[in-house]
Amino acid sequence: MVSSSGTEPRKITINDVARSAGVSRQTVSRALNDKDEIDGSTKQRVLDAARELGYRPSRFARGLVRQDTTTIGLVIPDLLNPFFTEVAASALEAARALGWHVVVYDTADRPEEELGTLQVIASQVDAVVGYFSCSEDELELFTRGLPVVLIGREHHSARFSSIRIDGEEGVHAAVAHLVAAGHERIGMLDHDRRAEPSIRREWFTTAAAACGIDAGMVVGAGQSADGGGAALRTLLAAHPDVTAVFTFNDIIAIGVLREARRLGRSVPRDLAVIGFDGLQFGTLVEPPLTSVALDTRKLGALAIDQVARLLTGANPLGPDDLVVRAELRSGGSA
């Protein structure tokens, strides 16, 4: 059939059916193949959408919809950062338990790599999970018809789900712990990846104000041990009376421990140090790192659980169930 404009009309695809029914491609596949994993109302909605659109699977598409393996695209900003490696490992473990495949993409924390990755994976996976700095409009553009679960970021569009990190109480406990130990000059080493302050700096500022101490001694740090060491030198040059440091993450804190030793400062006697993330390797350094710790296993497991619900048409987890809270974990560094 040729359209009135003289061109072939665009062929209806499985993604069109998914968008019309408000489900994933995998759910369309299962509905069309009469699988038992989805509920009856969702299956009927898909069948109605396919009929209204006049969708007819090609031979190739029919081969695809019969496959039983779900493939998830996991987008990570930096696999050299042990925090993201731990989160990826937990997501892989949870997906493996479901018999799913996971394809991991490292965007090197670059926005252009992020968008390029989304372009590549959109037609290759059944859902997308991970860390994104791009706008929701850009996410929507590249992931239409796919369930998307964001980690560590709020969302505004109903198209997405988010696993939220709540560290406010944990950071307040960290600052209160330092103040109780007699520290009044507490500095922070924030990230230097973005121009705007991190949410962890906001938590630190709020906690410092609640404890009645100055929150203005903040220096940006590169996301590495070397970055932490360099930032400590900058902080002490500007504020030599600082006796405690809270850092954006544990990697920066490890650099602070190493640099403090090089400067002849004993930890925690001369300089108390508290990180954020609660990474396993923080327990292996000397002294063991005190940290505002997250359950990285829960982060990955929650993301995969939510994807499973979205793919099968089950009731998704609500915002209150998609929160991972950080708690102060004592070590020997503070």
Side-chain angles (χ1 to χ4, degrees):
M1 176 181 176
V2 179
S3 69
S4 59
S5 63
T7 60
E8 285 289 333
R10 187 177 72 83
K11 185 176 181 179
I12 300 300
T13 69
I14 193 171
N15 287 333
D16 295 319
V17 178
R19 281 194 293 273
S20 178
V23 298
S24 69
R25 291 186 309 135
Q26 189 76 0
T27 298
V28 173
S29 299
R30 287 170 174 154
L32 296 178
N33 284 275
D34 201 26
K35 298 289 186 180
D36 296 330
E37 299 97 291
I38 61 176
D39 61 51
S41 61
T42 301
K43 183 182 295 185
Q44 190 59 51
R45 191 164 76 248
V46 170
L47 295 176
D48 289 344
R51 184 175 59 254
E52 290 170 7
L53 293 172
Y55 174 65
R56 295 291 183 274
S58 65
R59 254 176 62 184
F60 176 66
R62 283 195 297 271
L64 287 179
V65 298
R66 289 195 180 106
Q67 67 182 10
D68 295 323
T69 302
T70 297
T71 300
I72 305 300
L74 176 61
V75 180
I76 298 294
D78 183 8
L79 282 171
L80 293 177
N81 183 324
F83 173 76
F84 295 120
T85 304
E86 287 190 14
V87 173
S90 68
L92 287 166
E93 180 182 20
R96 189 181 303 116
L98 296 172
W100 292 358
H101 291 322
V102 178
V103 184
V104 181
Y105 298 85
D106 185 340
T107 62
D109 203 26
R110 294 200 296 265
E112 64 275 15
E113 287 288 334
E114 197 173 284
L115 294 177
T117 295
L118 285 172
Q119 282 183 298
V120 169
I121 69 176
S123 62
Q124 300 177 358
V125 301
D126 300 299
V128 177
V129 175
Y131 292 82
F132 299 95
S133 60
C134 62
S135 70
E136 291 192 4
D137 287 342
E138 290 171 318
L139 274 172
E140 171 66 26
L141 177 65
F142 292 112
T143 62
R144 287 175 182 167
L146 293 176
V148 178
V149 178
L150 311 174
I151 303 178
R153 167 179 169 174
E154 300 279 359
H155 73 280
H156 303 286
S157 170
R159 268 274 293 116
F160 309 122
S161 290
S162 295
I163 311 298
R164 187 167 60 88
I165 292 173
D166 185 356
E168 187 166 11
E169 290 186 10
V171 173
H172 184 97
V175 174
H177 173 79
L178 292 172
V179 171
H183 298 282
E184 298 178 353
R185 303 289 287 169
I186 303 171
M188 180 187 176
L189 304 185
D190 197 11
H191 72 59
D192 66 354
R193 292 180 297 181
R194 310 280 185 267
E196 65 276 6
S198 70
I199 184 64
R200 297 178 189 184
R201 178 174 176 177
E202 294 180 20
W203 293 334
F204 172 74
T205 300
T206 300
C211 292
I213 63 170
D214 179 15
M217 296 176 289
V218 179
V219 170
Q223 303 301 292
S224 66
D226 288 343
L232 177 64
R233 292 193 299 271
T234 301
L235 177 67
L236 293 178
H239 307 283
D241 55 347
V242 162
T243 61
V245 178
F246 169 66
T247 67
F248 175 80
N249 63 24
D250 285 354
I251 295 177
I252 293 173
I254 296 298
V256 169
L257 294 179
R258 186 176 65 185
E259 186 63 19
R261 187 178 301 112
R262 194 187 70 81
L263 295 174
R265 295 201 177 203
S266 175
V267 176
R269 187 188 64 203
D270 302 324
L271 184 72
V273 181
I274 297 182
F276 190 108
D277 282 342
L279 299 182
Q280 294 179 11
F281 79 77
T283 64
L284 304 177
V285 297
E286 186 58 40
L289 183 63
T290 298
S291 183
V292 180
L294 290 165
D295 185 346
T296 54
R297 290 177 62 86
K298 186 177 181 180
L299 272 174
L302 267 181
I304 296 301
D305 184 11
Q306 183 73 334
V307 167
R309 291 166 181 267
L310 295 172
L311 285 174
T312 60
N315 290 330
L317 296 170
D320 291 343
D321 297 316
L322 293 173
V323 180
V324 177
R325 292 181 170 81
E327 299 178 349
L328 182 63
R329 185 180 69 194
S330 297
S333 66

